[in-house]
Amino acid sequence: MKPLAVLFAASEMAPWVKTGGLGDVAAALPAALRRAGHDIRVLLPYYPALRVAFPAAQMLATIPALSAGLPPARLLAAEADGLPLLLLDCPELFDRPGNPYLDAHGHDQADNAVRFGLLSRVAALLGQANSPLDWQVDVVHVNDWQTALAPAFLHYEGGAASVVTVHNIAFQGCFGPEMLPRLGLPAAAWRFDGVEYHGQLSFLKAGLQFASQISTVSPTYAREIQDEHFGYGLAPLLRHRRHALRGILNGIDTALWNPAADPALAEPYAANRLAAKRGNKAALQREMGLAEGNDLPLFGVISRLTEQKGLDLLLTIADGIPHLPAQLAVLGSGDKAMEAGFKALAERHPGRIAVRLGFDEGLAHRIEAGIDCFLMPSRFEPCGLNQMYSLRYGTPPLVQATGGLADTVVDVNDASLADKTANGFVMPDGSPHALWLTMERACTVWQDKRRWQRLQQNGMRRDFSWTLAANDYLQLYRDAIAAH
Ligand code: ADP
């Protein structure tokens, strides 16, 4: 089939600018599509970190002020491992230190409507006949609210097919109605079936309304966000557009997360060399000050400490862990009350429960390798990465049945053991009691070494590479062109 020309527009890209899953996807998916022979180029703001990484970016085009409220800008070209980057250079909007969305006090930057209005407007422009580039785009692929206004421009002015991907529906980019003319949208767009959303201009709603196709980062999350409880107000629109909506599970970086060649580990191991995982458990116990030995199962957590991640459920029951009996290793940071709760928990149970507050990439790898069972009782999880890292590291995850967790973790029972899909533990509901019962069940299965090894090997066999997801995105692009 004919190679596709796709503009991938995003507000962050790992390793330069990353606040969440979108940053990883923006790095991995375009690279995988490029490897498959397609012409993918990534549009990003020229943030300080990109100025440092690509100081000699080549001038491609000047972009005049596209509307009353948008400043002129320049488009620069650079290349990251063969992947073309289009850098949107507008120093007054993007050359600022710190988080790409928040100011030093943790508040939204005051001019985010203009900053990401410009990014969206330029994404649309590159898919239109008057694009300053000599490049005919088949699909404009936008991500989260920061680029989601592009499909509205393409709708009202004409242009390429478009796709919007939702990485987290909780963030929607809502601004005052005065932004409509300032960003250059027609008055006719101020409608319930336009860009208007409860008296505001919503970038994400605009994308969901007008994109040729919609995707999110797991099949279960695609269903969940059509439900009021998960949809943050956008469920009715998503139900209306359900035939254009699908979930595509993210891949993981299988080179970075590879227990057979992970420089952070005490001993490398693989599905057919699982005994070596034991040495990583001992090393982790020493590193974190836990009693050394393999007579108890070791549970672990690596997470932002927030309600979303369900770690308040764990705190509620965690004083029982030594009686299971089991051990617990926690690495996390976030909510201050939760941080204090975990710190006090570890102080009450020295040798059995260890907690490290902070962000530590190397320790995250050693925990994945050294623990027996990974706890991820999230209340919602659009995709989730850690459960996939755990499966790859022979560390069965214990999860709530939500979003990407439901799509990757298969509860162990006789049937799932027989058909070789069992790879972890799924809580029967979202209560602390359910977490406790499921941890008890995990301890029982852990005692049966042969059953446990089957769980580990089932998880380690699964393919989490981006190649699978890239194929699904190609189909999404083709469907977007057909629907356009
Ligand atoms: P989310 O993006 O919602 O935080 P994910 O599971 O999708 O959750 O991704 C979290 C990523 O951040 C994983 O790569 C995880 O290992 C990493 N991570 C989270 N907290 C820490 C921490 N304290 N130290 C090191 N890595 C962490």
Side-chain angles (χ1 to χ4, degrees):
M1 257 188 256
K2 168 176 162 292
L4 294 177
V6 178
L7 177 73
F8 187 96
S11 54
E12 54 183 86
M13 181 177 182
W16 302 290
V17 186
K18 173 181 160 177
T19 70
L22 167 60
D24 289 322
V25 175
L29 174 61
L33 291 165
R34 187 101 198 147
R35 280 197 298 277
H38 298 275
D39 182 6
I40 315 294
R41 308 184 195 181
V42 180
L43 174 68
L44 282 170
Y46 198 31
Y47 296 119
L50 289 156
R51 288 176 186 273
V52 171
F54 303 102
Q58 302 257 317
M59 170 74 175
L60 273 183
T62 53
I63 296 172
L66 292 165
S67 68
L70 294 176
R74 303 188 311 158
L75 208 53
L76 309 181
E79 226 180 76
D81 282 337
L83 180 71
L85 304 182
L86 301 170
L87 301 166
L88 181 59
D89 183 24
C90 183
E92 63 179 285
L93 298 185
F94 298 121
D95 192 9
R96 301 175 190 173
N99 182 293
Y101 317 124
L102 307 177
D103 64 22
H105 306 287
H107 302 299
D108 288 339
Q109 296 195 21
D111 55 353
N112 272 351
V114 176
R115 299 171 71 225
F116 297 108
L118 179 68
L119 182 61
S120 294
R121 184 67 194 81
V122 171
L125 177 68
L126 299 182
Q128 294 178 315
N130 57 339
S131 165
L133 302 187
D134 181 20
W135 181 44
Q136 176 138 13
V137 169
D138 295 311
V139 179
V140 175
H141 182 177
V142 301
N143 293 276
D144 276 351
W145 73 263
Q146 292 88 350
T147 45
L149 205 53
F153 290 111
L154 291 166
H155 171 81
Y156 289 107
E157 300 170 4
S162 60
V163 165
V164 61
T165 298
V166 179
H167 300 264
N168 189 339
I169 201 153
F171 303 101
Q172 304 184 347
C174 293
F175 303 98
E178 71 284 358
M179 291 314 300
L180 189 83
R182 290 187 56 200
L183 296 179
L185 281 163
W190 198 254
R191 291 166 53 108
F192 80 97
D193 57 355
V195 303
E196 189 266 346
Y197 180 65
H198 299 297
Q200 293 199 293
L201 163 59
S202 164
F203 278 42
L204 185 60
K205 189 237 170 167
L208 298 177
Q209 183 74 46
F210 292 118
S212 318
Q213 291 283 311
I214 303 168
S215 77
T216 183
V217 290
S218 70
T220 296
Y221 194 59
R223 284 192 297 277
E224 286 173 342
I225 56 178
Q226 297 176 52
D227 184 271
E228 306 306 331
H229 178 65
F230 290 98
Y232 286 83
L234 290 168
L237 172 55
L238 288 161
R239 286 198 295 274
H240 175 67
R241 295 220 61 202
R242 65 189 176 279
H243 300 299
L245 166 66
R246 78 188 73 182
I248 301 175
L249 198 69
N250 287 338
I252 60 174
D253 186 330
T254 49
L256 199 63
W257 291 91
N258 177 10
D262 184 336
L265 304 195
E267 280 184 55
Y269 62 96
N272 58 359
R273 278 183 287 132
L274 269 173
K277 191 176 189 309
R278 197 82 57 76
N280 290 292
K281 181 171 179 177
L284 179 68
Q285 286 168 323
R286 280 195 297 278
E287 177 175 358
M288 293 195 73
L290 291 164
E292 210 178 310
N294 194 34
D295 48 340
L296 301 182
L298 171 54
F299 290 97
V301 170
I302 305 161
S303 186
R304 291 187 288 121
L305 302 178
T306 64
E307 279 230 339
Q308 181 203 328
K309 300 293 178 180
L311 294 169
D312 50 316
L313 308 177
L314 179 61
L315 270 179
T316 306
I317 57 145
D319 279 306
I321 289 175
H323 307 291
L324 271 171
Q327 292 179 321
L328 173 68
V330 176
L331 168 63
S333 64
D335 182 277
K336 293 299 161 212
M338 228 181 258
E339 286 191 355
F342 275 106
K343 198 159 165 271
L345 174 74
E347 281 162 9
R348 289 196 296 277
H349 304 285
R352 283 297 179 90
I353 298 181
V355 172
R356 292 283 180 280
L357 299 178
F359 196 95
D360 187 335
E361 187 82 32
L363 182 56
H365 284 245
R366 291 191 292 280
I367 291 179
E368 285 291 5
I371 61 173
D372 294 299
C373 178
F374 190 85
L375 299 177
M376 200 160 171
S378 305
R379 291 192 165 81
F380 72 93
E381 198 63 76
C383 177
L385 291 170
N386 267 310
Q387 84 281 13
M388 296 195 271
Y389 300 153
S390 300
L391 290 167
R392 196 159 156 78
Y393 275 60
T395 301
L398 187 163
V399 303
Q400 274 204 57
T402 185
L405 301 177
D407 293 326
T408 48
V409 180
V410 180
D411 192 55
V412 53
N413 55 44
D414 290 341
S416 60
L417 276 172
D419 67 15
K420 297 196 163 87
T421 54
N423 60 18
F425 301 88
V426 179
M427 293 159 56
D429 62 62
S431 66
H433 187 59
L435 174 59
W436 174 256
L437 291 179
T438 311
M439 288 174 71
E440 264 186 347
R441 195 155 61 85
C443 289
T444 307
V445 176
W446 184 80
Q447 299 296 342
D448 181 342
K449 297 299 175 222
R450 281 193 49 209
R451 270 223 284 177
W452 193 263
Q453 190 172 324
R454 282 161 71 191
L455 281 191
Q456 293 179 295
Q457 287 172 337
N458 289 346
M460 295 178 92
R461 261 205 316 269
R462 192 164 159 164
D463 181 359
F464 288 111
S465 70
W466 270 100
T467 317
L468 289 178
N471 285 332
D472 290 343
Y473 276 98
L474 284 174
Q475 190 57 50
L476 176 70
Y477 296 154
R478 298 214 157 90
D479 292 346
I481 293 166
H484 183 50

